[in-house]
Amino acid sequence: MKKSFVLLVSVILSVLFLSCESKSKPNLLGKWEAKLTLKSELASKADGSQAPQAYLYTKQNITLAFAEGGTYTRKILQIVDKVELLNSAEDPEAAKEYLAQFYNKDLTFDGEYTQESSAITFNVDTVQGGDGEPLPYEEYFVKDPSIGDNSYSSGYEFKDGVLFVDGIKFKKVE
């Protein structure tokens, strides 16, 4: 009876230990990269219609670098790849050049992160546009509110050496 009890307790402790172990946080340190193409609908406010007037395709290269001490850098390079005009005789290349002025981005975000078992919270300290000087988040946000919130959480999953952040697949490059 005593042996059965000891055996039962050891099995329970082993199962508890293994379940705790499987929920541990993966090591994200290093540099991760994702390459994707986004398709956006563009509608015209002039005619009041919600129907798309064009599709905008942008290519993004996103690099996430996690460092010791809970700091990170996120670099986003976005370029207009093509414009597909619907019901228009305009030149798609001219539309691409025009829209590139607004949608081409080269941004670097620096700050701190905290990692939980299924979410990463990013706190942005500075933002740098292109070759410009890094600016405090609040100052850059006044110039370009499209950069989003200065603190946000992203769901993540780590499978087979691949990092998925909000469903975007990142591969380790360093």
Side-chain angles (χ1 to χ4, degrees):
M1 178 77 171
K2 204 175 197 184
K3 286 182 182 179
S4 299
F5 179 72
V6 170
L7 182 61
L8 179 62
V9 168
S10 8
V11 168
I12 291 172
L13 289 175
S14 297
V15 168
L16 287 174
F17 176 74
L18 289 175
S19 67
C20 289
E21 191 67 27
S22 67
K23 293 185 184 203
S24 67
K25 297 180 267 188
N27 181 355
L28 300 179
L29 296 179
K31 191 173 183 181
W32 301 82
E33 185 175 70
K35 294 181 181 186
L36 54 148
T37 300
L38 304 173
K39 178 181 178 182
S40 304
E41 292 181 354
L42 300 177
S44 171
K45 290 182 181 179
D47 66 7
S49 169
Q50 295 298 322
Q53 301 296 309
Y55 292 109
L56 174 69
Y57 296 86
T58 54
K59 289 195 181 268
Q60 277 191 356
N61 186 357
I62 305 170
T63 304
L64 268 173
F66 296 100
E68 294 283 345
T71 60
Y72 79 95
T73 298
R74 179 188 300 240
K75 181 159 179 62
I76 301 172
L77 180 61
Q78 175 176 287
I79 349 177
V80 172
D81 185 43
K82 77 176 187 176
V83 176
E84 183 182 327
L85 300 170
L86 307 174
N87 307 319
S88 175
E90 292 182 41
D91 178 19
E93 282 303 311
K96 175 183 169 183
E97 285 181 38
Y98 175 75
L99 292 170
Q101 300 173 74
F102 306 104
Y103 292 99
N104 284 358
K105 302 274 184 185
D106 182 359
L107 297 170
T108 303
F109 301 86
D110 286 303
E112 298 175 350
Y113 75 96
T114 54
Q115 178 185 359
E116 301 299 324
S117 61
S118 63
I120 303 171
T121 300
F122 296 94
N123 294 302
V124 181
D125 294 329
T126 62
V127 182
Q128 179 179 354
D131 294 332
E133 290 293 316
L135 298 174
Y137 167 83
E138 295 79 12
E139 196 174 325
Y140 199 94
F141 183 79
V142 169
K143 291 178 15 178
D144 183 1
S146 74
I147 63 171
D149 293 334
N150 69 327
S151 182
Y152 59 95
S153 290
S154 294
Y156 81 96
E157 186 177 11
F158 190 73
K159 281 197 298 193
D160 302 323
V162 177
L163 175 64
F164 294 87
V165 178
D166 288 337
I168 298 172
K169 181 179 179 179
F170 287 83
K171 293 184 179 178
K172 194 159 192 175
V173 291
E174 286 180 19

